[in-house]
Amino acid sequence: MQHHVVDGMRYLEAGAGWPVVLLHAFPLSAEMWRPQLADVPDGWRFIAPDLATLAASLPPQRDRTSATMDDYARGVAGLLDRLEIDRAIIGGLSMGGYVTFALYRLSPERFSGAILADTRPQADSDEAKTNRTRMRELVARQGPRAIADEMLPRLLSREAAPEIAAEVRRIIETLPAQAIDAALAAMMARPDSTADLARMSIPALVVVGERDEVTPADEAERMQARLPRARLAVIPGAGHLANVERPHEFSQALHDFLVAPM
Ligand code: MLT
């Protein structure tokens, strides 16, 4: 596994072959994909970017100060351009799924397949937006540690091993507060992607942790039913960060999809 920075865009990469782009959740970074990058099947190249560095590489927007999901999506497209990758299997977990929807709206021709893990197509409810505003205040006042305290019980199931919880905390606490704030602003402003699902005609893998309480399994089932060519994998015992909590089972579901997408 290698760590690269090109034009200020940071990403982790492993393997060689057809590209698979893995977009991380909130409030994390590319680091959360380390278990999958350590287990890349032959003939595949996994690329996991840090979304904050991609958005930061875009030209400044004169009309606004906050990042949007489209900025992250344009950043992913910019990284793929820079790496001379026309098409890839592209997907993400939770917020990474929101970015996947935005990128599909911008550049559907980039996708040879999609991965939608522990995510949902709906926009934030009013209640969720109020909570995002509160979290923006929290990160401004108390920093990433307070966000880790609040988010950890939602990200992992109660049965998650202590060393996994410690690793997730480490990833959150090393993020700049500004990256957390920008992601909160982008998530609360994101549009509803439900109508896009029917147009996502590429093969798709919907994957969800059985114990995910943020984006539960029944929502994943509804999303699969709306996608033209999707299969569903439920990861037994996993919470929201299914790939971190049950890395082997998640990687197996991913590998099965890569070998036989439908
Ligand atoms: C994530 O895991 O990316 C977040 O929990 C998603 C969200 O808060 O909507």
Side-chain angles (χ1 to χ4, degrees):
M1 179 179 345
Q2 286 184 311
H3 161 199
H4 302 267
V5 182
V6 289
D7 299 341
M9 298 182 278
R10 179 178 184 276
Y11 62 98
L12 300 174
E13 180 177 1
W18 193 261
V20 177
V21 178
L22 297 170
L23 304 173
H24 63 78
F26 167 85
L28 289 116
S29 69
E31 300 288 318
M32 68 167 260
W33 292 112
R34 278 188 181 276
Q36 282 65 48
L37 288 153
D39 186 15
V40 181
D42 282 349
W44 296 90
R45 173 186 181 192
F46 286 9
I47 298 167
D50 271 341
L51 291 168
T53 67
L54 304 195
S57 75
L58 298 173
Q61 307 283 325
R62 256 176 303 153
D63 52 338
R64 56 187 166 77
T65 49
S66 305
T68 64
M69 279 307 145
D70 283 359
D71 290 335
Y72 293 132
R74 275 193 288 270
V76 175
L79 177 64
L80 293 180
D81 285 343
R82 181 68 177 71
L83 300 180
E84 299 185 356
I85 294 170
D86 291 335
R87 297 183 81 214
I89 294 183
I90 303 171
L93 191 142
S94 202
M95 184 178 81
Y98 309 159
V99 179
T100 303
F101 294 131
L103 183 58
Y104 196 83
R105 276 192 294 275
L106 286 176
S107 303
E109 72 287 352
R110 292 251 183 215
F111 284 73
S112 56
I115 300 154
L116 296 167
D118 300 275
T119 193
R120 60 155 65 89
Q122 294 85 8
D124 273 2
S125 63
D126 288 343
E127 191 189 343
K129 284 182 188 163
T130 306
N131 193 41
R132 304 275 194 215
T133 303
R134 185 186 57 77
M135 287 183 75
R136 292 185 72 183
E137 288 159 7
L138 184 66
V139 73
R141 277 200 322 271
Q142 295 180 40
R145 179 170 296 187
I147 298 293
D149 290 343
E150 173 147 345
M151 289 297 294
L152 268 168
R154 305 183 65 218
L155 296 174
L156 299 171
S157 79
R158 248 168 270 154
E159 286 72 35
E163 55 274 20
I164 289 186
E167 171 63 2
V168 172
R169 175 178 284 282
R170 185 192 67 76
I171 297 174
I172 299 172
E173 291 187 357
T174 52
L175 285 175
Q178 161 57 25
I180 294 178
D181 181 68
L184 285 163
M187 287 193 292
M188 68 190 281
R190 77 187 190 280
D192 195 302
S193 301
T194 310
D196 298 315
L197 295 176
R199 287 190 286 271
M200 293 183 78
S201 51
I202 30 84
L205 171 66
V206 176
V207 44
V208 66
E210 180 190 28
R211 300 198 183 143
D212 185 345
E213 288 175 8
V214 180
T215 48
D218 57 341
E219 284 199 30
E221 277 170 31
R222 281 196 290 277
M223 189 161 64
Q224 180 211 6
R226 285 173 182 268
L227 287 158
R229 297 169 65 195
R231 67 154 76 163
L232 176 67
V234 179
I235 307 299
H240 185 54
L241 292 182
N243 75 303
V244 178
E245 198 172 333
R246 297 286 167 131
H248 177 71
E249 292 81 352
F250 188 99
S251 290
Q252 192 59 53
L254 178 55
H255 298 180
D256 289 349
F257 173 69
L258 298 180
V259 171
M262 287 310 296

